[in-house]
Amino acid sequence: EPEVTQTPSHQVTQMGQEVILRCVPISNHLYFYWYRQILGQKVEFLVSFYNNEISEKSEIFDDQFSVERPDGSNFTLKIRSTKLEDSAMYFCASYTPGTSNEQFFGPGTRLTVL
Amino acid sequence: DQQVKQNSPSLSVQEGRISILNCDYTNSMFDYFLWYKKYPAEGPTFLISISSIKDKNEDGRFTVFLNKSAKHLSLHIVPSQPGDSAVYFCAASDAAGNKLTFGGGTRVLVKP
């Protein structure tokens, strides 16, 4: 069964450093998303991406964040200068119109900012 | 942001009995509602969804009920099995493919 994959599974970084979280969405999907879950809190939407551009972003997704689909398979989330409060699980998801409206989620990357 | 709320943080049920999980929402623009299941250290896994034009959707042991006038939905799991022990998230969007807004989750424990 096709699945969304994410790497790395765990990333530890120092405050102020740049991190890139990587995702490989399901191959025929057209919409891509990043969500995050801070420990003990809700899963919250960060950004959606369609047709090679951002279609929607949340207030969290400020200038420190960027997304890119550098080739036909990868979808990345970059945090330019990490803060302590960026520590969270980051989930990538993908979707394509069809019989179901579900978004398929990857296993997540745990980001720890020290 | 409390647009989607799951008021019960946890639920304990005996194996073989029914599990009922509840979810309330405030945004009348929501058109699609989904339930996801999540195990520790894994991403959310889709269970079942319902669109606002329906009031019930069933898939095997899982049934979702939508009461649009009350802005309430529920997930029924019958019969509950120990493998159902996980955190269940209710999520909503205003159109297929748009961002999902999640509830806080309900941790379900099914006792053998």
Side-chain angles (χ1 to χ4, degrees):
Chain A
E1 188 173 317
E3 58 181 16
V4 177
T5 59
Q6 291 185 241
T7 54
S9 57
H10 191 188
Q11 173 90 49
V12 181
T13 190
Q14 294 290 326
M15 191 170 55
Q17 295 296 304
E18 174 184 286
V19 293
I20 297 176
L21 310 183
R22 301 181 193 280
C23 169
V24 179
I26 295 173
S27 62
N28 63 339
H29 282 194
L30 301 176
Y31 296 76
F32 314 111
Y33 313 83
W34 284 100
Y35 293 82
R36 78 174 185 189
Q37 186 181 27
I38 294 171
L39 189 63
Q41 298 186 22
K42 291 185 178 187
V43 176
E44 47 189 357
F45 168 78
L46 292 178
V47 65
S48 57
F49 192 86
Y50 170 72
N51 201 24
N52 282 319
E53 60 183 27
I54 291 174
S55 47
E56 187 174 1
K57 58 183 181 180
S58 71
E59 292 175 356
I60 304 164
F61 195 88
D62 62 22
D63 292 344
Q64 292 301 309
F65 291 87
S66 63
V67 288
E68 196 178 30
R69 188 153 162 84
D71 52 44
S73 59
N74 291 285
F75 180 52
T76 62
L77 174 69
K78 182 194 287 188
I79 310 175
R80 266 179 265 283
S81 177
T82 50
K83 308 188 209 43
L84 295 176
E85 54 265 37
D86 293 328
S87 295
M89 281 290 290
Y90 287 80
F91 296 106
C92 173
S94 69
Y95 160 83
T96 203
T99 57
S100 167
N101 56 23
E102 68 174 285
Q103 293 178 19
F104 290 80
F105 282 77
T109 293
R110 178 172 298 284
L111 177 64
T112 303
V113 183
L114 303 176
Chain B
D1 180 357
Q2 294 289 313
Q3 293 190 71
V4 179
K5 283 182 72 171
Q6 294 174 252
N7 289 316
S8 298
S10 64
L11 172 70
S12 182
V13 65
Q14 208 66 35
E15 181 179 4
R17 307 296 287 267
I18 184 170
S19 295
I20 299 177
L21 291 80
N22 294 302
C23 178
D24 297 292
Y25 63 96
T26 57
N27 188 341
S28 56
M29 299 300 291
F30 286 147
D31 246 0
Y32 290 95
F33 304 90
L34 305 90
W35 285 93
Y36 282 85
K37 174 180 178 179
K38 187 180 179 305
Y39 294 116
E42 293 185 13
T45 302
F46 172 75
L47 273 179
I48 192 169
S49 65
I50 189 167
S51 75
S52 60
I53 61 172
K54 294 187 174 183
D55 54 19
K56 177 181 174 181
N57 188 25
E58 193 170 349
D59 183 2
R61 297 187 297 115
F62 302 94
T63 303
V64 56
F65 296 92
L66 175 63
N67 182 334
K68 212 176 167 192
S69 61
K71 294 192 175 68
H72 177 84
L73 61 154
S74 61
L75 173 68
H76 292 206
I77 307 173
V78 181
S80 301
Q81 299 172 353
D84 295 333
S85 297
V87 178
Y88 290 78
F89 291 98
C90 168
S93 73
D94 57 8
N98 283 3
K99 69 177 183 186
L100 294 176
T101 300
F102 281 83
T106 297
R107 183 177 303 276
V108 173
L109 176 63
V110 180
K111 298 178 180 177

